[in-house]
Amino acid sequence: MVHPARFELATPGSEDQCSNPLSYGCVWLQPFYHSINFSAILSAMDIHTNIPLKNYLTMKLGGTTRFMTEVFSVDNVKQIVANARTQNLPIFVIGGGSNVIARDETYPGIVIRNRIKGFEIVADDAMTTTIKVGAGEIWDEIVKKTVDMNLSGIEAMSAIPGTCGAAPVQNVGAYGQDVSETFVSLEAYDTQNDQVVTLTNDDCHFGYRSSIFREDQFNRYIILSVTLQLYKASPKPPFYKAIQDYFDTHNITIYTPQTIRDTVTTIRSEKLPDPKVKPNSGSFFKNAIIEGWLLKELLETYPEMPHYDMGDKRYKVPTGWLIEQCGFKGQLLHGMRVNPANALVLINESAGGYSDLAAAREEISNQVRDTFRISIEQEPLELK
Ligand code: NAP
């Protein structure tokens, strides 16, 4: 049964920091920028100037952006892109700010906060339900909604911060599920051709924590909505060890999207610092993917090295383990704390800015490379 369209766009409103230009230091265009002509869009949208990015990024560091605005509709997106092009200003879209790092210098363009809402069931059959969600919806709220509907497919990705539009960018994943497995398509505004396009799963070239949106088509598309096909069947083992261990300890033998969600939420709250309390961007490094020959050589020296077959003669080696072996777990480096519970996460305890974070990143990645001959890669995108 196909449900009637319920895909509504939110009206600009009250929910958070920058929607009121009087709050949080948001101001209308200031005299210095009067040469920039946003008059065509000022009537419809709030454009704010000189906004400290740390207020919008969970790592809580970095400089300011010259302009910031929120988009609530495709029309908002079109207006902003057209005006930014006229003024020759770069644009950068953020969602929840949980996977983006800002540098210390002022960003010279417009940061767009994606607030496009919507939740619609677009297809429903005996086995599956397909949903279309606005890119500005909060990811975990949508996971909760689908779990409440007893649908399976994204429940292991519970409690990941950020928005739905950000999920395909890095092909978000956790505990054995990743977005590409349920992803059908997305709608995006193509800033190169000025049109709304639909991109299929194949078009997105999903890989391990990667897609075209963070690789060769970086900053080309503004994601408007995401369509996912979820399953009515219950989740089945084998589960990741951490989940199975929790089930065993708590005598859980009936596996539902809800039991997986509850388990993952509990495990994550124990292992991962809450960004509202301890500023961080989740996993700061991607897990390493290495060739079989290198793994073989390394296992001779480090027989206990954990590794997972990627099915293409390459192996995933947990970067948290590599960092821990180098002695960094729990250490404070340039104001960044290597999380004592999970060395993949860096916590901004007292960093003076991006330069401190970069120094910590270099120290860790150089040591990992010198010890294991493995280059590790930063997971969060950089605003540039
Ligand atoms: P862990 O259990 O200590 O394991 C370390 C790494 O080994 C994980 O990152 C995971 O890779 C991989 N791994 C473990 N069991 C595996 C299996 N059966 N098959 C394939 N790979 C396996 O991991 P953790 O650091 O506590 O993280 C647990 C889960 O939460 C992971 O899936 C991780 O991705 C996710 N997580 C996500 C974020 C985020 O910011 N999005 C942050 C922290 C953790 P994968 O990462 O590929 O699953």
Side-chain angles (χ1 to χ4, degrees):
M1 182 179 108
V2 177
H3 289 243
R6 282 192 289 111
F7 201 75
E8 289 162 10
L9 298 171
T11 37
S14 51
E15 271 170 59
D16 71 356
Q17 297 164 332
C18 214
S19 52
N20 175 359
L22 297 176
S23 66
Y24 296 88
C26 300
V27 291
W28 289 95
L29 292 175
Q30 292 184 338
F32 178 71
Y33 290 120
H34 272 167
S35 57
I36 299 286
N37 176 18
F38 274 115
S39 56
I41 48 176
L42 273 177
S43 56
M45 301 176 69
D46 291 345
I47 308 289
H48 308 279
T49 61
N50 289 335
I51 300 300
L53 283 161
K54 66 181 177 190
N55 292 350
Y56 296 91
L57 305 179
T58 61
M59 192 60 107
K60 298 263 174 257
L61 52 71
T64 57
T65 175
R66 193 174 174 192
F67 298 106
M68 178 180 276
T69 193
E70 296 173 297
V71 293
F72 297 87
S73 67
V74 183
D75 281 348
N76 288 168
V77 171
K78 284 181 186 166
Q79 287 174 317
I80 283 291
V81 171
N83 279 270
R85 184 171 297 124
T86 313
Q87 314 294 339
N88 213 14
L89 292 171
I91 55 179
F92 193 98
V93 183
I94 62 171
S98 54
N99 206 44
V100 176
I101 304 290
R103 298 183 175 193
D104 292 333
E105 56 269 24
T106 297
Y107 178 67
I110 308 174
V111 170
I112 297 175
R113 300 182 66 221
N114 194 329
R115 302 286 305 281
I116 299 174
K117 301 285 188 183
F119 183 92
E120 181 188 351
I121 294 173
V122 291
D124 194 53
D125 59 34
M127 314 278 281
T128 66
T129 298
T130 303
I131 59 166
K132 177 180 173 186
V133 293
E137 290 284 356
I138 303 300
W139 172 259
D140 193 50
E141 290 175 7
I142 297 301
V143 175
K144 179 180 183 314
K145 208 169 205 161
T146 62
V147 166
D148 288 346
M149 294 161 74
N150 206 24
L151 294 171
S152 176
I154 55 176
E155 66 276 15
M157 291 181 272
S158 289
I160 293 181
T163 57
C164 292
V169 174
Q170 55 155 344
N171 188 15
V172 162
Y175 297 102
Q177 287 179 346
D178 69 41
V179 165
S180 70
E181 291 166 302
T182 47
F183 179 96
V184 177
S185 62
L186 58 74
E187 287 175 328
Y189 189 74
D190 180 353
T191 60
Q192 234 168 54
N193 298 318
D194 282 321
Q195 57 183 357
V196 176
V197 294
T198 299
L199 301 179
T200 65
N201 194 311
D202 284 348
D203 293 334
C204 297
H205 294 183
F206 289 120
Y208 184 68
R209 303 291 178 268
S210 76
S211 72
I212 56 166
F213 308 109
R214 56 175 295 151
E215 310 294 337
D216 47 328
Q217 302 299 332
F218 179 67
N219 249 356
R220 170 174 173 179
Y221 296 104
I222 298 177
I223 297 174
L224 307 168
S225 71
V226 178
T227 299
L228 304 173
Q229 186 178 43
L230 306 173
Y231 300 95
K232 294 182 177 176
S234 295
K236 288 191 178 52
F239 301 116
Y240 262 35
K241 186 175 179 305
I243 294 185
Q244 191 58 57
D245 286 352
Y246 187 93
F247 284 165
D248 294 345
T249 316
H250 294 82
N251 295 320
I252 297 170
T253 50
I254 296 172
Y255 310 128
T256 65
Q258 189 66 56
T259 54
I260 301 270
R261 175 172 169 79
D262 293 344
T263 302
V264 167
T265 305
T266 305
I267 300 171
R268 281 186 73 102
S269 68
E270 284 163 2
K271 284 189 82 171
L272 295 168
D274 179 355
K276 291 196 194 88
V277 184
K278 296 181 176 182
N280 73 87
S281 302
S283 302
F284 188 76
F285 296 101
K286 293 184 187 183
N287 283 323
I289 308 294
I290 64 171
E291 300 295 331
W293 64 264
L294 178 57
L295 177 75
K296 196 162 167 254
E297 285 185 18
L298 286 169
L299 284 174
E300 286 167 18
T301 316
Y302 307 98
E304 73 291 6
M305 175 185 269
H307 55 278
Y308 302 93
D309 193 343
M310 297 290 286
D312 58 0
K313 297 189 179 147
R314 297 182 308 156
Y315 292 83
K316 173 170 58 179
V317 175
T319 296
W321 186 87
L322 299 172
I323 295 171
E324 189 176 347
Q325 296 305 301
C326 292
F328 289 123
K329 195 173 187 178
Q331 296 295 306
L332 187 67
L333 306 171
H334 308 274
M336 301 299 303
R337 177 77 64 191
V338 182
N339 186 20
N342 181 334
L344 209 51
V345 178
L346 298 186
I347 299 165
N348 174 11
E349 216 166 89
S350 53
Y354 174 86
S355 54
D356 279 346
L357 171 66
R361 175 185 63 206
E362 294 318 300
E363 202 168 323
I364 293 168
S365 50
N366 288 346
Q367 189 62 49
V368 168
R369 190 197 54 226
D370 293 349
T371 309
F372 297 103
R373 290 177 285 154
I374 294 176
S375 296
I376 56 174
E377 201 185 318
Q378 177 177 311
E379 185 172 297
L381 292 169
E382 291 201 3
L383 209 160
K384 59 186 175 190

